[in-house]
Amino acid sequence: MHRSAAAILIIIILVNLFATAFEARSQSGERQLYELSPNRVDGSVDRVEALMEAEGALKIDGSEKARSSTVQMAARASLAYFEKPLGNFKIPGRFLSAIRHYEKADASIQVGDQQFRPSLRDQRRLIGVELRELKPVLYSPHGPLTREELDLIDVQGNTLLLERLLPSEQVAVGDSWKHSHDVLAALLGLDAVASSDAQSVLQSVEQGAAKLEMAGQVEGSIHGRPTRLQVRAKYRFDLELGRITWFALLLKEDREVSPIGPGLDVVARLQIKIEPNAAAKQLEEPALKNVFLGATAELEQLSYTSPDRTWRALLDRRWVLISDSKDLTVFRMVDEGKYIAQCNVSTLAAQPKEVTLSHFQDEIRRALGKDFRRFVRAGQAMTDGEQRVFRVEVQGESSGIPMDWIYYRIVDKSNQGIVVLFALESSLADRFRESDRDLVRTIRFAEPKSAKRHVAD
């Protein structure tokens, strides 16, 4: 090859190599990748402020033909707490448990012409959080919560879950990724997600912060009934801290009526601000030295007191209060999305003489009428609290469905009394098991006012 031709060939090769390298550098600049990995440290403390607002209608099943009526509702909840992750985690930065101290937890709820203002008691401001198969379990180390307290603080967008929205790989601006059904169900407070096209996208990176958005539709279930949600969210990730510091969620939900609650046609807005590296004396080692951290069966129970404050009980969380009045309280049990049983607690009128077990069985037979088939067993006992308890199991049929009924008559030494009735389809007996005994053994009556005055004297 001629020397000048060889030189030209070398120049062409060098130009091509330079062009290729320049194009690669150009593409690399356009596709700068970002690592959005959480960097939460064991023992660090966040200060969290959350504001949730909702408005719309409750759908109420108001007739035998299941024609639903609606009641307008509006709600506003305000939470402020310190959160400290505990050392039990599988993936760096993604913790499975935490301890919180609530500075503030209250709400205002308007349903029709009724108003409710739930709040968290001072003695329950220390709250533990555990993720079980990603589902948050909230409890207080200082004792059982009420249902109202649990519902107030167990909101969508749990801060122990937010970082599960981050991508598992490096991403560039414009990249998107989907979220697992388990993460969405836990984050949105659903029993399960059947289908979803919700995904997040990295919108921009400016001034050391990645701005992300999530959108899509989610179809799932809660309390055994379908629900459909349109989801939009924005969240901000601080690249230096390795933390999500702001999260905003907009939900439009259409939920069907369930056996334990009304349906929903609402729009809800949630905004969460997170301040990492905060300080809270209530979560420092000296303050937690004698505090047992860990959810137990006892701590997970919910405390309930009747409206007239004459009796109280501890409930498995599967029991949900449906209604309560001076004379009648109704609970329903839902287990893994399936309606299992109903529990009615009725106040006993004063009895002129002591009722026998046989008399109680006669009352049950008359109450069930044509639905009665047979008594399975009956017995009586005295509890440590000096309560006389009758327990009667009955089998029968209602509207062609085999049924089990379990009746209790409980009277204390001051002649205060209640009748507790558990009703369930016979086919669900294995799932119900000993749930009646678990509830009844926790029932206690208030001390009579006369006795209190006597003690005070």
Side-chain angles (χ1 to χ4, degrees), residues 388-454:
R388 182 179 297 277
V389 180
F390 295 158
R391 183 180 186 275
V392 180
E393 292 184 36
V394 186
Q395 287 184 341
E397 188 175 287
S398 178
S399 301
I401 299 173
M403 295 290 296
D404 289 355
W405 292 281
I406 307 172
Y407 284 84
Y408 287 84
R409 187 181 187 277
I410 309 170
V411 179
D412 73 354
K413 58 184 179 181
S414 64
N415 209 32
Q416 295 183 100
I418 56 176
V419 170
V420 186
L421 165 61
F422 297 89
L424 62 148
E425 294 182 16
S426 300
S427 60
L428 298 174
D430 288 342
R431 293 186 66 170
F432 186 73
R433 295 184 181 178
E434 299 285 309
S435 297
D436 61 302
R437 298 182 189 273
D438 292 338
L439 191 158
V440 167
R441 68 168 56 101
T442 71
I443 292 175
R444 297 292 182 271
F445 291 99
E447 186 178 352
K449 294 181 179 179
S450 58
K452 293 180 180 179
R453 287 197 299 269
H454 179 73

Side-chain angles (χ1 to χ4, degrees), residues 142-441:
H142 293 321
L145 298 166
T146 66
R147 171 64 68 177
E148 291 80 5
E149 289 174 323
L150 178 61
D151 290 345
L152 173 63
I153 61 176
D154 193 8
V155 298
Q156 295 160 322
N158 189 293
T159 42
L160 205 57
L161 285 165
L162 287 183
E163 287 163 345
R164 308 285 173 140
L165 294 175
L166 296 171
S168 57
E169 300 176 347
Q170 291 183 330
V171 291
V173 172
D175 284 352
S176 61
W177 58 96
K178 292 185 176 181
H179 302 294
S180 73
H181 288 183
D182 289 342
V183 167
L184 290 172
L187 193 72
L188 300 176
L190 304 178
D191 293 335
V193 168
S195 64
S196 169
D197 61 3
Q199 61 181 13
S200 284
V201 59
L202 175 57
Q203 291 286 12
S204 64
V205 178
E206 301 173 1
Q207 300 178 341
K211 296 182 179 180
L212 307 100
E213 293 189 10
M214 178 176 68
Q217 294 192 18
V218 177
E219 294 191 1
S221 62
I222 184 167
H223 303 151
R225 290 293 186 269
T227 185
R228 292 163 291 279
L229 301 96
Q230 295 179 19
V231 181
R232 292 187 64 85
K234 294 183 178 182
Y235 50 114
R236 186 162 54 237
F237 181 82
D238 187 301
L239 293 171
E240 182 179 354
L241 294 174
R243 299 294 311 282
I244 292 175
T245 57
W246 179 79
F247 177 80
L249 177 66
L250 175 66
L251 291 176
K252 187 178 188 305
E253 182 172 8
D254 181 11
R255 180 189 302 182
E256 293 188 11
V257 177
S258 80
I260 67 165
L264 297 176
D265 185 4
V266 299
V267 174
R269 300 171 184 84
L270 170 68
Q271 182 170 261
I272 298 175
K273 297 178 182 178
I274 303 172
E275 178 189 341
N277 303 320
K281 291 183 179 180
Q282 300 89 343
L283 299 183
E284 292 177 358
E285 290 302 324
L288 299 177
K289 183 178 180 180
N290 297 318
V291 177
F292 175 79
L293 298 179
T296 64
E298 290 75 20
L299 292 177
E300 288 184 43
Q301 290 180 311
L302 298 176
S303 64
Y304 173 82
T305 303
S306 64
D308 60 2
R309 311 192 71 81
T310 58
W311 63 273
R312 65 186 188 277
L314 296 174
L315 307 171
D316 183 305
R317 293 191 181 189
R318 294 175 299 169
W319 289 110
V320 177
L321 178 66
I322 302 302
S323 63
D324 60 355
S325 63
K326 180 180 178 181
D327 299 320
L328 177 64
T329 299
V330 179
F331 302 101
R332 285 181 181 166
M333 176 187 281
V334 171
D335 183 31
E336 297 180 352
K338 184 174 180 59
Y339 170 49
I340 303 297
Q342 178 163 311
C343 172
N344 294 351
V345 185
S346 306
T347 303
L348 274 173
Q351 299 291 322
K353 61 180 181 178
E354 186 172 313
V355 175
T356 65
L357 177 59
S358 173
H359 184 204
F360 185 46
Q361 289 180 266
D362 290 339
E363 290 179 344
I364 292 171
R365 186 185 287 107
R366 287 194 297 269
L368 290 177
K370 61 182 179 58
D371 293 340
F372 176 84
R373 291 295 178 270
R374 70 186 185 99
F375 289 114
V376 178
R377 59 180 58 88
Q380 60 183 342
M382 289 291 294
T383 69
D384 293 339
E386 297 187 38
Q387 296 174 170
R388 182 179 297 277
V389 180
F390 295 158
R391 183 180 186 275
V392 180
E393 292 184 36
V394 186
Q395 287 184 341
E397 188 175 287
S398 178
S399 301
I401 299 173
M403 295 290 296
D404 289 355
W405 292 281
I406 307 172
Y407 284 84
Y408 287 84
R409 187 181 187 277
I410 309 170
V411 179
D412 73 354
K413 58 184 179 181
S414 64
N415 209 32
Q416 295 183 100
I418 56 176
V419 170
V420 186
L421 165 61
F422 297 89
L424 62 148
E425 294 182 16
S426 300
S427 60
L428 298 174
D430 288 342
R431 293 186 66 170
F432 186 73
R433 295 184 181 178
E434 299 285 309
S435 297
D436 61 302
R437 298 182 189 273
D438 292 338
L439 191 158
V440 167
R441 68 168 56 101

